[in-house]
């Protein structure tokens, strides 16, 4: 910690108000329950009894989010602003100007979360992240752990390589309503893949030189392939769609091409 300034008012063991301002260098925090962990965090922290702000400026850090991603995410560089405020009914948390350069690509965007004090009410999340130049060979590190286990296992073996040139993640709605089958929110992951290699079934020849667009939308998935090659066979204008990845009676996959 650098330039550490702490102010207390009231009994030192139970102050009525407090404030803290400090610089942070290479801070490490273990992940706990729903709280993410981080190693190598640097920036500037200020907080008091009801609010706070963290200006992030980190080099070579690691983010641990075990409830979202199966593996820690290594970051070459991270920047942006995180702020939080407590009122009578909820916590409001905001991330703005977030920029991350990781080993596997770049991400920027922001979010706003509302977490009610009443546990009967669901937290609300508004999020938009844009990513670019992602390495498809390491895609399995970023499949959300909320995906059905069978689907994550298949994707891990099927997506061999490729480059995600552009894409985005959008989430808008209550966390308890995910995946919004009733249309009461929005979840969307879109990505454009180029030069991909897809090993879709054991013992079958792989699809190479893939150019495709992937779209996870609420409970469903659509893959639109503009071109590819299976050995000497050209593949074009293929659409694979799954209306619901986890319905009660089993997922139905539709393929056109």
């Amino acid at each position: 910690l650098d330039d550490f300034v702490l102010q207390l008012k009231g009994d030192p063991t139970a102050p009525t108000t407090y404030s803290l301002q400090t610089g942070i260098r290479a801070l490490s925090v273990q992940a706990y329950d729903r709280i993410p962990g981080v190693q190598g965090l640097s920036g500037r922290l200020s907080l008091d009894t009801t609010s706070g702000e963290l200006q992030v400026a980190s080099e070579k850090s690691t983010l641990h989010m075990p409830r979202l991603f199966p593996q820690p995410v290594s970051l070459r560089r991270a920047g942006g602003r995180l702020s939080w405020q407590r009122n009578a009914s909820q916590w409001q948390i905001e991330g703005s100007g977030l920029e991350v350069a990781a080993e596997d690509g770049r991400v920027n965007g922001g979010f706003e979360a509302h977490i009610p004090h009443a546990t009967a009410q669901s937290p609300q999340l508004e999020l938009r992240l844009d990513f670019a130049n992602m390495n498809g060979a390491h895609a399995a590190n970023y499949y959300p752990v909320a995906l059905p286990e069978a689907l994550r296992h298949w994707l891990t073996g099927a997506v061999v390589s490729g480059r995600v040139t552009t894409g985005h993640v959008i989430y808008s709605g209550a966390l308890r309503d995910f995946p919004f089958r009733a249309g009461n929110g929005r979840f969307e992951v879109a990505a454009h893949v180029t030069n991909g290699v897809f090993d879709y079934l054991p013992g079958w020849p792989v699809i190479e030189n893939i150019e495709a667009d992937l779209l996870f939308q609420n409970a469903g998935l659509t893959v639109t392939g503009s071109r590819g090659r299976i050995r000497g066979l050209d593949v074009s204008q293929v659409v694979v769609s799954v209306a619901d990845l986890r319905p009660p009676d089993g997922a139905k996959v539709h393929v056109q091409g």
Side-chain angles (χ1 to χ4, degrees):
L1 302 179
D2 298 323
D3 304 323
F4 183 89
V5 178
L6 174 64
Q7 295 180 334
L8 302 174
K9 185 176 181 179
D11 186 337
T13 61
T16 55
T17 62
Y18 64 85
S19 65
L20 168 67
Q21 296 185 20
T22 184
I24 298 172
R25 287 190 296 170
L27 176 69
S28 294
V29 179
Q30 292 286 345
Y32 175 74
D33 196 19
R34 298 185 179 184
I35 302 173
V38 66
Q39 292 178 324
L41 178 67
S42 298
R44 184 79 188 172
L45 173 67
S46 61
L47 59 84
D48 55 33
T49 50
T50 60
S51 63
E53 178 179 292
L54 174 63
Q55 294 283 352
V56 179
S58 293
E59 304 282 343
K60 294 183 180 179
S61 55
T62 303
L63 184 63
H64 300 260
M65 302 179 70
R67 285 181 172 264
L68 183 58
F69 298 125
Q71 300 293 332
V73 180
S74 297
L75 309 178
R76 292 177 178 172
R77 185 174 63 256
R81 174 181 176 269
L82 294 173
S83 63
W84 55 94
Q85 186 169 357
R86 184 182 190 275
N87 58 35
S89 61
Q90 65 181 1
W91 281 96
Q92 180 174 324
I93 305 172
E94 182 178 349
S96 59
L98 303 180
E99 296 183 77
V100 172
E103 297 294 331
D104 298 318
R106 303 188 308 275
V107 180
N108 64 79
F111 71 90
E112 185 174 317
H114 299 265
I115 305 175
H117 300 322
T119 56
Q121 300 178 26
S122 174
Q124 301 279 329
L125 176 63
E126 301 289 330
L127 175 144
R128 169 74 189 234
L129 298 175
D130 295 286
F131 50 86
N133 199 30
M134 305 294 286
N135 185 353
H138 299 161
N141 294 336
Y142 305 98
Y143 298 145
V145 295
L147 288 178
E149 178 62 28
L151 175 62
R152 283 202 302 119
H153 178 76
W154 177 72
L155 285 171
T156 298
V159 181
V160 179
S161 63
R163 181 64 56 180
V164 179
T165 57
T166 57
H168 65 255
V169 179
I170 296 173
Y171 189 105
S172 177
L175 296 185
R176 292 179 186 174
D177 291 338
F178 178 82
F180 308 121
R181 288 185 174 88
N184 49 351
R186 181 185 182 191
F187 171 70
E188 181 175 298
V189 179
H192 181 77
V193 179
T194 187
N195 200 29
V197 176
F198 194 49
D199 188 2
Y200 51 98
L201 283 175
W204 287 59
V206 299
I207 306 178
E208 301 176 295
N209 300 324
I210 292 174
E211 189 93 16
D213 290 287
L214 280 70
L215 177 63
F216 287 90
Q217 199 163 40
N218 290 355
L221 166 67
T222 302
V223 181
T224 304
S226 57
R227 66 176 175 84
R229 194 168 182 83
I230 302 178
R231 293 183 176 167
L233 177 66
D234 289 328
V235 180
S236 63
Q237 303 306 316
V238 175
V239 179
V240 180
S241 59
V242 185
D244 194 325
L245 292 166
R246 204 171 186 176
D249 57 346
K252 297 178 177 62
V253 182
H254 298 270
V255 181
Q256 302 175 49

